[in-house]
């Protein structure tokens, strides 16, 4: 039986989250001990550990069937790949930055300037769309030091908190692109591999769904139940169980993480007591 080959970053900002996702899907990966390829012991997949920049090419050439990379790398490498799932981790942005002292007003600052970046294709498109004529200086790493050493007037690099920029005397002036980790594949997989991928995607979506939701249990006097049920936008109608104490019930439901605190306030206001909120490990829809 064939195995689905998944390429992930060997070591870097995507590695830990990529491995965690695979493990949360119940896929066991033996400790590779620095190996390039390792096989799962309980699911038909092989994991290839690569540099993130090489993953698009490997997937396009079908050395790997699918891969996990940042959207920034996907767009920069311009390979013919499809995003099959956004993964929500390693969120960052690609931004233009200049020295703190620069009196920056707008993008026209970059006309006639030199900008250092590891993302020349994305930056070229961005400047073209915005009618800016600048020189792009490609460097493969440590872009943040380019202005300090006099190589460029500005840089275009990955930013998350901005602390790296700050400690190099730079300030962020324009966001070029937002990025997160995505699962990519080449156009067509054979049917056996597609079946494995479908199973994997089902698991990934269950894990993601569970992260967005919480299981909630509460006690309430029976006369308030109707009001409380209206507050809870659960997947289904909530479960209601009688308590030993006369006239009281226990109510169970699922709520979404983003509305969490608002809902809790409302529930308290409606007479709910003993509210328990527990994480959900998997959610099968
Ligand atoms: P490699 O050795 O594999 O080429 P790298 O040095 O190019 O690694 P990393 O710095 O590990 O790459 O970043 C990998 C990806 O993680 C980036 O392409 C981007 O999508 C994302 N990323 C980078 N920096 C951050 C950050 N500070 N916060 C969150 N995500 C980030
Ligand atoms: Zn890289």
């Amino acid at each position: 039986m064939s195995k689905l080959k998944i390429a992930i970053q060997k070591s870097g900002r995507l590695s830990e989250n990529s491995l965690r996702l695979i493990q949360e899907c119940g896929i066991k990966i033996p400790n590779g001990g620095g190996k390039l390829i390792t096989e799962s012991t309980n699911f038909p997949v092989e994991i290839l550990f690569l540099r993130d920049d090489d993953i698009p090419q490997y997937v396009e050439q079908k050395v790997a069937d699918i891969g996990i990379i940042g959207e920034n790398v996907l767009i920069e490498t311009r390979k013919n790949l499809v995003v099959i799932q956004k993964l929500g981790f390693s969120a960052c942005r690609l931004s233009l930055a200049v020295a703190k002292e620069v009196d920056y007003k707008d993008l026209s600052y970059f006309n006639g300037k030199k900008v250092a970046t590891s993302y020349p294709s994305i930056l070229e498109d961005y400047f073209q769309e915005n009618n800016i004529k600048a020189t792009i200086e490609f460097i493969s790493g440590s872009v943040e030091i380019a202005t300090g050493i006099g190589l460029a007037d500005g840089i275009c690099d990955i930013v998350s908190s901005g602390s790296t920029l700050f400690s190099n005397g730079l300030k962020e002036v324009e966001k070029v692109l937002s990025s997160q980790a995505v699962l990519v594949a080449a156009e067509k997989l054979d049917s056996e591999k597609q079946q494995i991928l479908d199973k994997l995607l089902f698991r990934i979506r269950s894990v993601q769904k569970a992260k967005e939701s919480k299981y909630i249990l509460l006690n309430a006097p029976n006369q308030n139940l109707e009001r409380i049920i209206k507050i809870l936008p659960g997947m289904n109608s909530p479960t209601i169980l009688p308590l030993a104490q006369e006239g009281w019930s226990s109510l169970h439901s699922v709520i979404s993480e983003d509305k969490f605190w608002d809902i809790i306030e409302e529930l308290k206001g409606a007479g709910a007591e003993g509210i328990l909120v527990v994480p959900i490990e998997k959610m099968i829809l």
Side-chain angles (χ1 to χ4, degrees):
M1 187 172 154
S2 67
K3 296 195 175 198
L4 188 74
K5 295 196 192 104
I6 310 176
I8 66 171
Q9 191 188 24
K10 186 175 171 61
S11 111
R13 291 195 151 106
L14 292 162
S15 314
E16 205 181 310
N17 286 327
S18 304
L19 268 180
R20 183 177 317 123
L21 177 69
I22 289 168
Q23 277 153 3
E24 283 171 341
C25 289
I27 298 172
K28 289 203 177 111
I29 307 294
N31 204 333
K35 271 197 293 188
L36 175 65
I37 301 187
T38 166
E39 227 170 87
S40 165
T41 49
N42 66 349
F43 196 77
V45 293
E46 280 176 353
I47 312 292
L48 280 74
F49 298 95
L50 302 166
R51 281 201 60 195
D52 69 338
D53 317 71
D54 296 336
I55 292 177
Q57 186 179 349
Y58 280 112
V59 175
E60 191 187 47
Q61 293 177 356
K62 308 237 170 181
V63 177
D65 299 302
I66 60 173
I68 297 178
I69 47 170
E71 285 172 306
N72 51 314
V73 167
L74 172 68
I75 297 170
E76 178 63 29
T77 50
R78 295 181 170 169
K79 299 287 181 200
N80 193 17
L81 302 176
V82 283
V83 172
I84 38 184
Q85 180 71 44
K86 294 197 175 207
L87 299 174
F89 58 78
S90 299
C92 57
R93 55 196 185 274
L94 188 65
S95 288
L96 282 161
V98 296
K100 269 198 285 253
E101 313 72 61
V102 170
D103 178 24
Y104 182 89
K105 296 217 168 50
D106 57 34
L107 205 52
S108 65
Y109 166 82
F110 289 100
N111 269 319
K113 297 284 198 308
K114 234 191 210 184
V115 183
T117 187
S118 307
Y119 296 89
S121 305
I122 296 176
L123 187 58
E124 195 184 321
D125 286 353
Y126 179 79
F127 278 153
Q128 202 160 17
E129 276 161 28
N130 290 286
N131 254 322
I132 302 293
K133 303 245 172 317
T135 308
I136 297 171
E137 201 68 52
F138 172 77
I139 42 177
S140 63
S142 303
V143 175
E144 65 281 357
I145 62 165
T147 57
I149 58 172
L151 178 72
D153 305 294
I155 66 159
C156 178
D157 203 11
I158 295 291
V159 183
S160 61
S161 68
S163 59
T164 309
L165 290 184
F166 185 79
S167 57
N168 283 283
L170 297 164
K171 62 179 177 188
E172 185 177 359
V173 292
E174 304 285 345
K175 185 177 90 178
V176 174
L177 185 94
S178 295
S179 175
Q180 61 171 294
V182 288
L183 192 67
V184 294
E187 284 293 339
K188 196 120 189 74
L189 291 178
D190 69 43
S191 71
E192 217 171 327
K193 286 186 173 179
Q194 186 62 47
Q195 271 180 23
I196 304 170
L197 176 58
D198 289 344
K199 263 193 193 174
L200 176 67
L201 278 176
F202 176 75
R203 293 189 186 191
I204 290 176
R205 285 166 190 159
S206 301
V207 170
Q208 285 187 331
K209 200 83 203 136
K211 280 191 185 153
E212 292 159 12
S213 310
K214 296 269 182 259
Y215 194 77
I216 182 166
L217 305 91
L218 58 88
N219 296 335
N222 289 344
Q223 70 264 24
N224 293 15
L225 281 178
E226 213 170 309
R227 198 171 145 208
I228 288 177
I229 290 168
K230 284 208 186 97
I231 301 169
L232 290 170
M235 296 192 290
N236 301 308
S237 92
T239 308
I240 295 175
L241 302 165
L243 288 185
Q245 189 183 348
E246 190 73 28
W248 280 71
S249 295
S250 166
L251 190 148
H252 302 192
S253 189
V254 172
I255 58 176
S256 86
E257 170 88 77
D258 57 337
K259 302 198 193 91
F260 177 75
W261 286 111
D262 294 338
I263 291 175
I264 299 292
E265 303 283 311
E266 280 188 63
L267 289 172
K268 278 171 64 188
E273 290 181 13
I275 303 174
L276 276 182
V277 178
V278 284
I280 299 171
E281 196 179 288
K282 306 278 185 313
M283 201 153 131
I284 316 300
L285 295 176

